[in-house]
Amino acid sequence: LAAALICCAVAAPMPQIVKQGRKFTLLVDGKPFILLGGQVNNSTGWPSRMQEIWPVYKALHANTAEIPVYWEIVEPKPNEFHFEAVDQIIRDARAQNLRLVLLWFATWKNGVMDYAPGWVKADTAKYPRMIDSGGKPVRVLSPHSEATMHADRNAFAAFMRHLKEVDGDAHTVIMVQVENEPGSLFTDRDHAPASNKLFEGPVPAALTTALKKNAGTWTQVFGPEADEAFAAWHVAKYVNEVAAGGRKEYGLPLYVNVWLRERKNFMRPGEAYPSGGATSNVLDIWKVATPSIDVIAPDIYVMDYAGYRAVCESYGRPDNALLIPETGGFGAFARYMFYALADYDALGFAPFGIDRIGAGTVPDGVPGVSAGTSIADLVRPMMDNYRLLGPALDQIAAWQGTGKLHSAVEEDQITERLLTFTDYEVLAQFGRPEVSYGGTFASGTARKTGRAMVSEIAPDEFVILGFDTTIRFEPRRGSKLKSAQFLWVEEGKFENGEWKAARRLNGDETFFRLTLPSQGAILRAKLMSY
Ligand code: N0T
């Protein structure tokens, strides 16, 4: 019997990203999964170092760890592979009940080549550097080298084949990032003679046709963006080849992350951001060039909320799911998480630099934060988010894409938000009401901690999750309802997909408004009209 069980045990379905209607969903073990994670610092992908970091994930209630895998370490000599560290990390993650996203640091890491193995770095004839417009080689591998692409693809394929062997049944690893922020710093494109020749030639018909542009040279078709468009096409084709090689071995979802161009000085490619990466201005080119990549994912360090939302808007589009594999972990980003999950149906959200949580004070030079501030204080709102939202992720995943899940988030000068649902409107005001009789006007919190999401789960029933927010209901303007009254309100939580009410709220707790306190709460309210 045991033998029969073993022989017939069915492996869980592969992780995959599916699209139903306009909504993308990441499926893990066949079920919708919102990746709530964190990325470790760059030099932390070592089992010994991870021993100190696993407890941080536990404390956070994260469900996924994003950890790099280094080409220079897994292939120290051509075709000699070492996956011991990767294997140990997978075993440890499994023991922690965490999923993994592994990050393939190879030809590109932040627009340079630092993770290429020594034998690639040393052989500049076989693995050429890019040449800048002044004729000088730079610290970036050329995307025009077949030899370099083959070397990377060969290693990535070996890595994916190995993953299938060690994890093909358990699916602890749910997704793989191909490269890290590809593109080139120091030059807008390769100016080597052979590349210049290519640049003077026609734009491939596959690209002009897909973009519905007339045929012509790069300059004719793309004008002032020609060098960058050319770089994007060639970097994207290269990354797609690497991805395709790995995917053939093991079909996990693959994504590419982006060092954004938004809000960086004069936004010159190769100076303010790597040229040829999948920045918003060349995203269309990347989508044409990368059929083997599931998602192009922005690393969002944009500090202001309008800019943050604009990035979500430009990457979450009909042909691309929104996935945020890197973002900030400080105060404002705890608010932005609500936008990402509730308004843009993000598949996942992962602050960068998990190692630092709980450790020390902020060093000099971190934008928007004064040096010396305690990191624990700064990340507390994010940790609160994880604690509150973590157990409700299955529900949030089910509410995404319904059009009935909205965020209400406090910002400078924005002390209230009005959300519209089928029959009711919700007024969310941040902070505690100042006057409790004769009107309620919450006028904001000291540290901008107001953040909530509201989901209409039936026409007269709502779930409200969040912090430091005051909630009131009225019939939607124009609806035929005359009044709004609570039939009942509960405070509780979700457990294994079930709502567990802890108490009924009434009296002062519902009289003028509902309140989400500073430590957060999940409320469920049934309304009626009379
Ligand atoms: C990221 C990270 C890591 C405020 C930087 C961000 C990670 C890489 N690059 O810590 O190196 O591996 O993907 C680049 C965006 C910088 C803009 C910061 C503005």
Side-chain angles (χ1 to χ4, degrees):
L1 178 69
L5 282 178
I6 288 162
C7 95
C8 304
V10 183
M14 282 292 287
Q16 57 171 317
I17 294 169
V18 296
K19 190 180 182 199
Q20 285 153 317
R22 302 184 50 218
K23 165 76 176 82
F24 288 98
T25 306
L26 169 61
L27 297 177
V28 172
D29 295 343
K31 290 191 311 242
F33 183 87
I34 293 178
L35 183 167
L36 189 55
Q39 185 167 143
V40 296
N41 285 100
N42 292 162
S43 305
T44 303
W46 297 90
S48 55
R49 176 77 183 130
M50 281 308 300
Q51 290 314 315
E52 299 166 45
I53 312 298
W54 297 121
V56 177
Y57 284 98
K58 267 261 138 29
L60 264 181
H61 301 91
N63 59 25
T64 306
E66 295 178 351
I67 301 178
V69 171
Y70 316 110
W71 186 14
E72 63 172 348
I73 301 299
V74 303
E75 195 184 11
K77 290 193 188 129
N79 258 312
E80 189 186 306
F81 292 101
H82 288 277
F83 294 112
E84 295 80 7
V86 180
D87 293 350
Q88 188 60 45
I89 285 172
I90 294 174
R91 283 194 295 268
D92 291 344
R94 217 175 268 156
Q96 299 284 332
N97 222 343
L98 279 168
R99 303 281 178 164
L100 288 175
V101 171
L102 296 179
L103 320 171
W104 179 244
F105 284 12
T107 298
W108 287 282
K109 166 69 176 71
N110 298 23
V112 297
M113 58 173 287
D114 294 356
Y115 281 91
W119 51 271
V120 171
K121 285 178 180 156
D123 195 345
T124 55
K126 185 160 182 197
Y127 307 111
R129 309 280 163 99
M130 292 178 86
I131 306 294
D132 71 12
S133 57
K136 233 177 67 189
V138 296
R139 206 173 91 225
V140 192
L141 289 164
S142 171
H144 304 292
S145 162
E146 285 272 313
T148 316
M149 188 276 285
H150 281 134
D152 190 339
R153 188 176 62 187
N154 181 57
F156 187 63
F159 164 59
M160 294 297 281
R161 199 179 315 129
H162 181 79
L163 275 189
K164 182 179 182 182
E165 260 167 51
V166 299
D167 193 48
D169 293 329
H171 304 310
T172 296
V173 182
I174 55 172
M175 196 149 50
V176 171
Q177 177 186 295
V178 192
E179 312 294 341
N180 190 84
E181 298 184 340
S184 60
L185 289 178
F186 317 123
T187 184
D188 54 358
R189 66 170 174 89
D190 194 353
H191 293 265
S195 316
N196 286 341
K197 216 165 164 157
L198 261 182
F199 181 72
E200 279 147 27
V203 177
L207 182 56
T208 44
T209 308
L211 297 183
K212 301 193 171 61
K213 288 183 184 280
N214 294 328
T217 65
W218 289 90
T219 307
Q220 285 163 348
V221 176
F222 293 100
E225 282 194 321
D227 299 275
E228 190 178 2
F230 174 82
W233 175 252
H234 287 284
V235 172
K237 293 288 272 184
Y238 180 123
V239 177
N240 189 66
E241 280 297 317
V242 173
R247 186 163 211 139
K248 223 165 56 207
E249 300 294 339
Y250 186 35
L252 281 182
L254 301 177
Y255 74 93
V256 172
N257 65 331
V258 186
W259 176 333
L260 301 176
R261 80 197 284 269
E262 275 76 13
R263 286 174 173 67
K264 295 291 139 40
N265 299 311
F266 287 101
M267 303 205 291
R268 298 284 195 269
E271 294 172 23
Y273 62 93
S275 182
T279 46
S280 50
N281 55 322
V282 293
L283 185 51
D284 290 342
I285 297 176
W286 264 82
K287 290 306 286 188
V288 177
T290 58
S292 293
I293 287 159
D294 295 275
V295 182
I296 308 284
D299 294 344
I300 320 186
Y301 294 92
V302 173
M303 303 283 293
D304 68 291
Y305 85 96
Y308 203 97
R309 291 188 67 134
V311 172
C312 293
E313 195 92 38
S314 47
Y315 284 84
R317 53 185 232 179
D319 61 351
N320 194 62
L322 178 65
L323 169 71
I324 305 176
E326 284 183 40
T327 190
F330 296 165
F333 295 100
R335 303 199 297 274
Y336 302 166
M337 182 175 164
F338 278 72
Y339 294 127
L341 294 182
D343 296 345
Y344 298 102
D345 294 344
L347 302 189
F349 185 90
F352 178 84
I354 281 295
D355 309 37
R356 288 181 299 231
I357 288 187
T361 54
V362 178
D364 278 331
V366 176
V369 201
S370 40
T373 314
S374 133
I375 291 178
D377 276 356
L378 281 176
V379 297
R380 189 152 300 126
M382 188 65 81
M383 295 183 75
D384 289 341
N385 282 1
Y386 278 56
R387 176 178 44 75
L388 189 72
L389 302 185
L393 287 178
D394 288 351
Q395 278 67 36
I396 296 170
W399 300 332
Q400 284 184 336
T402 59
K404 293 180 179 151
L405 171 66
H406 302 295
S407 75
V409 177
E410 179 179 15
E411 302 293 351
D412 284 332
Q413 313 295 327
I414 296 174
T415 58
E416 64 176 40
R417 302 268 191 185
L418 185 64
L419 309 179
T420 303
F421 295 95
T422 311
D423 286 329
Y424 295 94
E425 280 173 2
V426 169
L427 182 63
Q429 293 182 313
F430 305 111
R432 300 207 144 250
E434 278 160 13
V435 187
S436 42
Y437 283 86
T440 48
F441 302 99
S443 54
T445 63
R447 303 175 70 184
K448 303 280 168 278
T449 45
R451 57 205 192 280
M453 60 177 82
V454 182
S455 175
E456 177 183 320
I457 61 174
D460 52 3
E461 196 169 334
F462 296 83
V463 177
I464 306 138
L465 311 82
F467 305 83
D468 285 323
T469 306
T470 287
I471 298 281
R472 286 188 285 157
F473 287 85
E474 283 291 329
R476 180 172 58 78
R477 218 163 71 99
S479 96
K480 35 190 198 319
L481 301 189
K482 296 246 175 333
S483 54
Q485 179 183 357
F486 291 124
L487 208 51
W488 49 258
V489 180
E490 291 172 343
E491 184 183 50
K493 60 180 175 192
F494 291 98
E495 235 175 62
N496 306 319
E498 302 261 306
W499 172 250
K500 291 266 188 298
R503 58 174 175 154
R504 182 71 70 99
L505 298 183
N506 208 337
D508 290 346
E509 281 66 57
T510 61
F511 188 65
F512 288 118
R513 36 78 192 130
L514 306 181
T515 305
L516 298 170
S518 295
Q519 71 273 21
I522 306 184
L523 307 179
R524 182 167 173 174
K526 182 91 170 165
L527 275 95
M528 60 164 290
S529 186
Y530 52 90

